[in-house]
Amino acid sequence: MLGVDMEPKIEANAVMPSLPSIRAKEEDQQNNRPVSYRMSTRSAQIRLVSSHPEVYEPCDDSFALVDALLADRNNLLEHRPTFCIELGCGSGYVITSLAIMLGQEGAGVSYFATDINPHAVRVTRETLEAHGVHAEVILTDIVSGLERRLVGMGDVIVVNPPYVPTPEDEVGRDGIASAWAGGENGRSVIDRILPIADKLLSERGWLYMLTLAANNPSQICRMMREKGYASRIIVQRSTEEESLHVIKFWRDTEIQVGTKEQITENRTPSEVMESLLSQIPRLAFWRSGSRDS
């Protein structure tokens, strides 16, 4: 069993140059020029992505997440997912791109997306329709009210969470601010999503999450490892303003077995109790976050 303090693996060629701006991308696509930084036939077209003043438009983080999915496309096709979920769909660029890249080879796949912003729900539906693909799009906070229906169903979950460090009172505000306000260290919403994703993922499920360097992605990977997940950074990219990581998580049998053995065989009852007591503040935080979901 590998130590829980191990850094996440980084894919070869994961460190990529800064992305072009959305305006440059739009200009290239509208003028039918080749887009060398994007396999445009396998992702949503910017000119067909709907918009609204209160909805976050595709930007560097959106492109990085789609690039990660494209980089892992062959594995996704071999994975043969039957149910894909996006938590926080915004403009619909990511879930639409996922449906396009799986295409006919992913026939029979169901797509499901949620957002807390009613304008984002409408915009996502319009983006999907403009590209000729379909997903069920639901207005809700993460998956509030849907947890029991969705438990264990997610073969693929994609998340571009609100990750920008902000004052806590900005988290969950109405409108476009909900797309980026992440609270202290940008982790308030991420730390709510992780245990929910753990419940939604199928036994063979994969989670793709975008994080900022300020979110401490290594700590996120260690937290998920404690739940039995291996992790790998698929894309690591620096823009003019931020350093982004797209991390893939999946259940690892060896980690799960090793964790179970460590708890049941290598610890005395008093050590187990001390471990549980040490987690009380964190568990209380998760519960308070769950009440908001």
Side-chain angles (χ1 to χ4, degrees), residues 18-85:
S18 298
L19 287 165
S21 70
I22 186 171
R23 289 185 179 179
K25 186 176 177 61
E26 287 175 334
E27 182 180 346
D28 284 346
Q29 290 192 349
Q30 289 172 353
N31 294 330
N32 295 318
R33 288 200 292 263
V35 185
S36 60
Y37 49 83
R38 167 77 66 240
M39 299 171 65
S40 58
T41 58
R42 290 183 178 172
S43 64
Q45 298 181 54
I46 294 299
R47 63 184 178 85
L48 296 179
V49 175
S50 187
S51 63
H52 184 279
E54 290 298 322
V55 175
Y56 185 73
E57 293 184 351
C59 200
D60 289 345
D61 49 2
S62 317
F63 301 149
L65 183 51
V66 169
D67 280 344
L69 295 171
L70 284 168
D72 215 30
R73 179 175 179 268
N74 289 337
N75 291 328
L76 282 165
L77 291 173
E78 292 177 3
H79 188 52
R80 296 184 180 277
T82 60
F83 197 80
C84 299
I85 303 171

Side-chain angles (χ1 to χ4, degrees), residues 89-103:
C89 51
S91 68
Y93 175 74
V94 175
I95 192 69
T96 301
S97 294
L98 179 59
I100 290 171
M101 71 179 69
L102 294 183

Side-chain angles (χ1 to χ4, degrees), residues 163 211-215 217 236-239 241-245:
Y163 58 71
T211 66
L212 189 68
N215 304 148
Q236 179 175 319
R237 181 168 297 164
S238 294
T239 71
E241 299 179 351
E242 53 197 8
S243 178
L244 304 170
H245 305 78

Side-chain angles (χ1 to χ4, degrees), residues 27 30 32 52 55 63 94 105 129-130 147 155 161-162 165 186 190 193 239 241 247 256 274 286 290 292:
E27 182 180 346
Q30 289 172 353
N32 295 318
H52 184 279
V55 175
F63 301 149
V94 175
E105 295 159 289
E129 183 178 358
E147 295 93 334
D155 294 323
I190 290 174
I193 288 174
T239 71
E241 299 179 351
I247 309 173
Q256 291 174 332
E274 288 176 3
W286 285 347
S290 297
D292 296 333

Side-chain angles (χ1 to χ4, degrees), residues 4-15:
V4 296
D5 58 346
M6 178 183 177
E7 296 295 316
K9 297 178 181 178
I10 300 178
E11 287 283 85
N13 302 321
V15 180

Side-chain angles (χ1 to χ4, degrees), residues 205-242:
W206 295 350
L207 168 65
Y208 296 85
M209 175 176 280
L210 186 136
T211 66
L212 189 68
N215 304 148
N216 197 344
S218 294
Q219 183 190 54
I220 292 172
C221 291
R222 289 194 294 270
M223 289 173 60
M224 291 298 282
R225 187 173 184 84
E226 291 174 2
K227 295 178 178 291
Y229 289 87
S231 59
R232 175 172 287 116
I233 296 174
I234 304 295
V235 165
Q236 179 175 319
R237 181 168 297 164
S238 294
T239 71
E240 295 179 357
E241 299 179 351
E242 53 197 8

